[in-house]
């Protein structure tokens, strides 16, 4: 059976998942990439080093975000949402966001300090001095969800 997820199911999926995909588009060129994230009910929070995704979102902040939960080919859930990319520059908001991301990601890593590009370092001062991170949020404006369950 195919169906639509309720608003509550959509919110639950966005809060429960750790990895989603951001799709961006500039001058007719589309790009989609997986990212680790945290969702607070309004914003998707993430971080990245400088690269193609960040360049594209700075040029066109309108993005699409997708998460899914796949048990098998005939039993899955998927949420697609749309929103607007905003870079976080305020020091306090950057710190709160990184703490939220680290607390969400760290339990899923075998050796967290081996991943400085995720903002996880033995010395917290290394994040800004040795690792350049762009911290961002995406304000979601529209969400839809589908499922198949047989």
């Amino acid at each position: 059976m195919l169906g639509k997820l309720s608003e509550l199911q959509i919110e639950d999926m966005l809060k429960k998942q750790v990895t989603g995909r951001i799709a961006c588009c500039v001058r007719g060129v589309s790009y989609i990439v997986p990212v680790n994230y945290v969702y607070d009910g309004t914003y998707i929070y993430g971080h990245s080093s400088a690269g193609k995704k960040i360049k594209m979102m700075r040029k066109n902040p309108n993005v699409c975000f997708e998460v899914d939960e796949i048990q098998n080919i005939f039993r899955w859930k998927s949420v697609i949402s749309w929103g607007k990319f905003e870079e976080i520059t305020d020091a306090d908001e950057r710190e709160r966001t990184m703490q939220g991301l680290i607390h969400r990601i760290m339990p899923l890593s075998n050796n967290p300090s081996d991943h400085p590009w995720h903002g996880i370092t033995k010395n917290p001062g290394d994040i800004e001095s040795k690792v350049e991170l762009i911290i961002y949020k995406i304000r979601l404006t529209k969400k839809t969800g589908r499922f198949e369950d047989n």
Side-chain angles (χ1 to χ4, degrees):
M1 171 177 79
L2 293 172
K4 291 184 179 181
L5 295 175
S6 69
E7 286 184 39
L8 186 59
Q9 290 170 314
I10 289 170
E11 291 298 304
D12 183 56
M13 281 256 322
L14 287 167
K15 288 178 182 170
K16 187 167 71 173
Q17 298 302 316
V18 178
T19 302
R21 290 160 195 83
I22 293 178
C24 43
C25 184
V26 173
R27 293 188 201 109
V29 176
S30 299
Y31 184 65
I32 187 166
V33 64
V35 297
N36 296 314
Y37 76 95
V38 173
Y39 176 65
D40 72 356
T42 303
Y43 290 100
I44 295 290
Y45 292 93
H47 68 288
S48 177
S49 57
K52 185 173 189 155
K53 159 181 81 248
I54 296 298
K55 286 178 188 173
M56 290 179 79
M57 290 191 299
R58 284 174 174 164
K59 288 181 183 175
N60 179 6
N62 299 306
V63 299
C64 189
F65 187 79
E66 186 264 346
V67 295
D68 48 37
E69 183 179 294
I70 301 171
Q71 292 180 0
N72 64 51
I73 195 71
F74 301 115
R75 191 176 193 141
W76 52 265
K77 298 176 191 174
S78 181
V79 170
I80 298 175
S81 53
W82 293 264
K84 192 166 190 171
F85 163 83
E86 300 173 39
E87 203 162 323
I88 299 173
T89 56
D90 176 76
D92 290 339
E93 187 177 7
R94 285 175 59 85
E95 185 176 335
R96 281 191 311 274
T97 299
M98 280 308 302
Q99 287 302 313
L101 287 163
I102 288 168
H103 287 285
R104 185 79 170 117
I105 294 168
M106 196 178 293
L108 303 173
S109 172
N110 291 332
N111 297 307
S113 62
D114 291 343
H115 303 281
W117 50 91
H118 283 288
I120 304 169
T121 61
K122 289 179 184 172
N123 179 1
D126 289 348
I127 291 174
E128 293 300 329
S129 63
K130 294 182 181 176
V131 179
E132 179 191 353
L133 289 178
I134 290 95
I135 302 169
Y136 60 87
K137 58 188 175 183
I138 298 169
R139 176 186 287 276
L140 299 183
T141 56
K142 181 180 175 184
K143 300 171 227 162
T144 185
R146 302 280 188 268
F147 71 90
E148 182 172 1
D149 190 5
N150 287 334

